[in-house]
Amino acid sequence: MKTLRFTKMHGLGNDFMVIDGISQQFEPEKAPLTKWANRHIGVGFDQLLLVERAHSDAVDFRYRIFNADGSEVEQCGNGARCFARFVVDKGLTDKQEIVVETARGIILPRLAENGLVTVNMGKPHFMPSEIPFVPAAGEAADALVHMILVGLESVPVSCVSMGNPHAVIVVDSVKTAPVEQWGEAIEPHEQFPERVNVGFMEVVDSSHIRLRVYERGAGETQACGTGACAAVVAGVRLGLLEEDRQVRVSLPGGDLYISWHNGSDVMMTGPAETVFEGELQY
């Protein structure tokens, strides 16, 4: 039996089990991640975050992310903020801006004195091969909106990669949007070879949206950082949101603030909080 130290954290209710893989040995492939994710018999989390040593002197840390179903994914915005808060609070770095390696590139979290964390999430990508996404026959690869068949209904989605795949749907109201029904159908859709996160966006005005996200491998969560980024990017491209202006994204767990200028990196600002520390044996 091994003893593993961990920290429970959350970003707007999107919760994480965070493990320091630098000061202790941890092999996620040999761990019962789905059991730990279970909220009745385990720690309970949407994602597990693993802090590892960097593979290059040019970066500070490596960052791995595992969903509640045990699958490894490329990126997590709320997790990135918690990651930054964790490595500072644990004394693993004294930097306020951290260079972090992920499966899909470099991110740059920065801690502010007010406790919020800003993360440079990099540039969004739109081409089908970058998401990945398979357009229907006859659809332009660079179309702003693609049609997805859900049952007998064609649903318009905007496809964005924020290091992980997102399908954004504009709805009249997030309260009445068929989040579970369409989320369950679109997340494993054959046109998304690596599955997809599904965002339901209600535009309040040109600088404020409401958002619910059905996450790949986790179901609907209280907040999704990359989903908030993808929704704002899609809204700007569709002419629904103002470019060069910070957009307030209201999620079930609280608000994030996203800014993006076409061609630039996406900036995300929000909180990261520690819930408790613990140990388990496996």
Side-chain angles (χ1 to χ4, degrees), residues 53-68:
R53 296 187 188 280
H55 289 172
S56 164
D57 292 338
V59 299
D60 298 310
F61 298 99
R62 184 180 182 219
Y63 167 39
R64 296 178 69 188
I65 309 145
F66 297 86
N67 277 334

Side-chain angles (χ1 to χ4, degrees), residues 112-124:
E113 291 183 1
N114 61 5
L116 297 182
V117 182
T118 296
V119 185
N120 181 331
M121 297 296 293
K123 291 180 172 57

Side-chain angles (χ1 to χ4, degrees), residues 71-82:
S71 59
E72 185 168 5
V73 294
E74 307 91 342
Q75 184 61 287
C76 177
N78 288 321
R81 298 198 315 277
C82 289

Side-chain angles (χ1 to χ4, degrees), residues 10-24:
H10 79 93
L12 299 180
N14 185 191
D15 61 341
F16 308 98
M17 179 179 177
V18 189
I19 295 174
D20 175 1
I22 296 175
S23 63
Q24 62 185 341

Side-chain angles (χ1 to χ4, degrees), residues 48-207:
L48 180 146
L49 311 180
L50 177 58
V51 181
E52 294 186 331
R53 296 187 188 280
H55 289 172
S56 164
D57 292 338
V59 299
D60 298 310
F61 298 99
R62 184 180 182 219
Y63 167 39
R64 296 178 69 188
I65 309 145
F66 297 86
N67 277 334
D69 66 359
S71 59
E72 185 168 5
V73 294
E74 307 91 342
Q75 184 61 287
C76 177
N78 288 321
R81 298 198 315 277
C82 289
F83 181 100
R85 173 64 58 195
F86 178 86
V87 296
V88 170
D89 288 350
K90 291 297 182 183
L92 297 174
T93 182
D94 58 2
K95 296 181 179 180
Q96 294 302 298
E97 183 168 274
I98 308 161
V99 183
V100 183
E101 173 190 356
T102 74
R104 280 291 178 90
I106 301 298
I107 58 172
L108 301 168
R110 185 177 71 251
L111 278 72
E113 291 183 1
N114 61 5
L116 297 182
V117 182
T118 296
V119 185
N120 181 331
M121 297 296 293
K123 291 180 172 57
H125 298 279
F126 310 107
M127 294 305 292
S129 61
E130 298 171 320
I131 290 170
F133 169 70
V134 181
E139 281 192 331
D142 59 352
L144 292 180
V145 176
H146 295 275
M147 303 305 296
I148 300 291
L149 190 63
V150 179
L152 300 177
E153 190 170 3
S154 290
V155 178
V157 303
S158 294
C159 298
V160 181
S161 172
M162 287 303 311
N164 57 355
H166 290 269
V168 181
I169 303 168
V170 179
V171 297
D172 293 331
S173 169
V174 292
K175 290 183 179 180
T176 58
V179 174
E180 184 172 355
Q181 178 188 351
W182 284 4
E184 285 185 352
I186 296 173
E187 187 247 18
H189 199 283
E190 62 183 5
Q191 288 181 256
F192 294 96
E194 296 180 8
R195 300 187 294 165
V196 71
N197 302 285
V198 189
F200 297 80
M201 174 175 66
E202 172 192 342
V203 178
V204 180
D205 58 42
S206 61
S207 61

